[in-house]
Amino acid sequence: MSLKAIGAKIFAKRIRKKIDKWASNPVKTQEQVFKSLINKSKHTVFGKDHDFQNIKTYSDFAKNVPIRDYEELKVYVNRVIEGEKDILWPGKPLYFAKTSGTTSGAKYIPLTKDSMPTHIKAARNAILCYIAETGKANFVDGKMIFLQGSPEMGEKNGILLGRLSGIVAHYVPKYLQKNRMPSWKTNCMEDWEKKVDAIVEETIDQNMAVISGIPPWVQMYFEKLQQRTNKKIGELFKEFELFIYGGVNFEPYKKTFEKLIGRKVAGIELYPASEGFFAFQDKQSKKGMLLQLDSGIFYEFVKADEFFEENPKRLTIGEVEKGINYVILVSTNAGLWAYNVGDTVQFTSVSPYRVIVSGRIKHFISAFGEHVIGKEVDEAIRIGAEKTGAIINDFTVAPQVNPKDKKLPYHEWFIEFREIPKDIEVLTLEIENSLRRQNSYYNDLIEGKILETLKITIIPKDGFKNYMKSIGKLGGQNKLPRLSNDRKIADALTTMIDK
């Protein structure tokens, strides 16, 4: 074992103890974060507008600061973009993380000198927790690849601007620089397909030990490697030990990855966002990701089925329960306040607090009152694939409200297969039954003959990739929505199939 690996093991144990300390005192930890955020921001424009000077308790905060999404916070963000200081957080941000909004167009999320280190520390600690738990550290001597957006930056009134994954690329520790791939030149390429081809060239004969990225884009990289070498990824990269991923639920991709790799590889799930690094998988043996309670983020939660009420009840960490679908709100040391990230989460544990991402509050199907969420369709397709041997590349679901044959409406599942099952009808039935077991509203609509059984539309190979490319969202941090409550994506896919 190298000196670097030995050092990593010692450091990992120390960090694990620190994590356990705050994780075992969640309410106190969050109270300290809350007080610090309010105190530091009382003299900002936002702090003055919301009377932070007189906020002494969380109850005061909830009364003074309403829930906002990006569009509602934009009046303040625009002033930051224009170069004003002390608006949402003291001073000016270091960066803007540019993201693609579905309704707001481009969004500019501030990253400050206080918030930026928490992103880096959480990513580092995720790996250290793996080392502390397993005792495995030899992979630190191997090559590591992070499939991410371009690190090239723009500028807005003196503030650097880029994609979060590209900004983070500037913070890779010096001791990992020699191990890191791809090259800076390749990482700066904007054309995703050309970039992946270049990454294949650079890594095909390397000792890759750690591979990280959003599953559908890592899958593309693996497929290109396999096409070039006719080898399983685990055979090509004999030292490949750790797959680090986030952004989407990995379960629908699991079988495809197992087939591409050819052997089991440990995984670490992350929950990073431009608004903050919220959670990471800290235990291989436990379901869910440890919520980062000491990272300059104060969390609130609203039950998803109450979220659209006029004054939904806001809960703090000590009030949440396992298995309930919550909308997650954050107040951060980047100057976001009671901010609706757009995600829904469920707690898998409350000692310590671990979460899974269950979907997006705006990504659901409720065209008929069924309110089907991402977690339910992920689970349904996992069971369907398991029972039928199907291997699925990707999928999305939309309602069909006005069928041409004038029969009952239904949910249409667009699925791209790596391996099509022998009997599509059996897969349809397994998915349908799983969804009905999970969602009583959907079950009632089927039993009441309001809805017909779901229908599967097969998407040809690379169909989803071509769709994402057609809308300028191929690669990087972009993800295909699992659910839509309208036919925008469905109609575009149907048009592509019919051509």
Side-chain angles (χ1 to χ4, degrees), residues 239-258:
E239 304 301 318
F240 177 30
E241 178 182 333
L242 194 56
F243 174 46
I244 303 173
Y245 61 92
V248 298
N249 186 348
F250 183 55
E251 282 299 324
Y253 301 94
K254 197 170 183 179
K255 271 197 173 183
T256 299
F257 271 67
E258 286 175 356

Side-chain angles (χ1 to χ4, degrees), residues 89-227:
W89 190 253
K92 293 183 180 181
L94 292 177
Y95 307 98
F96 287 117
K98 186 180 179 182
T99 68
S100 300
T102 52
T103 57
S104 305
K107 297 195 291 187
Y108 298 90
I109 306 297
L111 297 168
T112 66
K113 66 179 181 180
D114 296 292
S115 72
M116 195 65 225
T118 64
H119 288 264
I120 310 307
K121 189 167 76 169
R124 179 204 70 185
N125 288 357
I127 297 173
L128 291 174
C129 283
Y130 171 79
I131 294 172
E133 180 186 10
T134 65
K136 296 177 181 178
N138 286 331
F139 65 86
V140 301
D141 295 312
K143 295 289 185 181
M144 303 180 181
I145 188 168
F146 302 91
L147 291 174
Q148 57 195 185
S150 170
E152 289 191 319
M153 313 281 270
E155 192 177 294
K156 277 223 176 239
N157 293 312
I159 300 171
L160 293 171
L161 167 72
R163 298 284 180 182
L164 176 65
S165 61
I167 293 170
V168 169
H170 291 266
Y171 287 82
V172 175
K174 286 184 179 179
Y175 60 85
L176 290 180
Q177 291 288 2
K178 289 183 179 179
N179 304 61
R180 169 193 175 182
M181 299 194 82
S183 66
W184 192 262
K185 181 181 177 182
T186 294
N187 218 11
C188 289
M189 294 174 69
E190 290 290 348
D191 186 301
W192 188 255
E193 288 179 290
K194 289 180 180 177
K195 182 173 183 172
V196 175
D197 287 337
I199 291 172
V200 167
E201 290 296 327
E202 289 186 6
T203 60
I204 200 166
D205 59 354
Q206 295 294 316
N207 174 25
M208 303 306 302
V210 178
I211 297 171
S212 175
I214 293 176
W217 310 129
V218 176
Q219 181 179 317
M220 181 192 293
Y221 166 58
F222 283 173
E223 287 171 343
K224 285 178 179 286
L225 281 167
Q226 195 172 72
Q227 288 164 12

Side-chain angles (χ1 to χ4, degrees), residues 234-291:
E235 182 186 354
L236 181 65
F237 300 142
K238 290 182 169 56
E239 304 301 318
F240 177 30
E241 178 182 333
L242 194 56
F243 174 46
I244 303 173
Y245 61 92
V248 298
N249 186 348
F250 183 55
E251 282 299 324
Y253 301 94
K254 197 170 183 179
K255 271 197 173 183
T256 299
F257 271 67
E258 286 175 356
K259 189 146 191 173
L260 285 165
I261 297 168
R263 59 179 170 83
K264 287 197 172 182
V265 170
I268 301 175
E269 185 175 8
L270 309 179
Y271 183 12
S274 299
E275 296 86 354
F277 202 125
F278 302 134
F280 62 75
Q281 183 181 354
D282 69 313
K283 293 278 189 182
Q284 291 290 299
S285 58
K286 300 293 183 181
K287 184 180 180 183
M289 297 171 282
L290 185 69
L291 196 64

Side-chain angles (χ1 to χ4, degrees), residues 325 344 358-378 380 395 397-398 411 413 435-436 438-443 445 451 482-485:
N325 213 35
T344 57
S358 53
R360 298 280 292 169
I361 191 62
K362 290 184 179 178
H363 289 178
F364 58 86
I365 298 180
S366 198
F368 313 96
E370 64 273 41
H371 208 89
V372 170
I373 62 172
K375 179 180 176 291
E376 292 167 348
V377 298
D378 282 341
F395 73 98
V397 189
H411 286 186
W413 289 58
L435 203 55
R436 290 178 68 173
Q438 294 179 81
N439 188 308
S440 60
Y441 301 109
Y442 181 75
N443 182 61
L445 289 167
L451 290 181
R482 283 280 177 259
L483 292 159
S484 302
N485 205 37

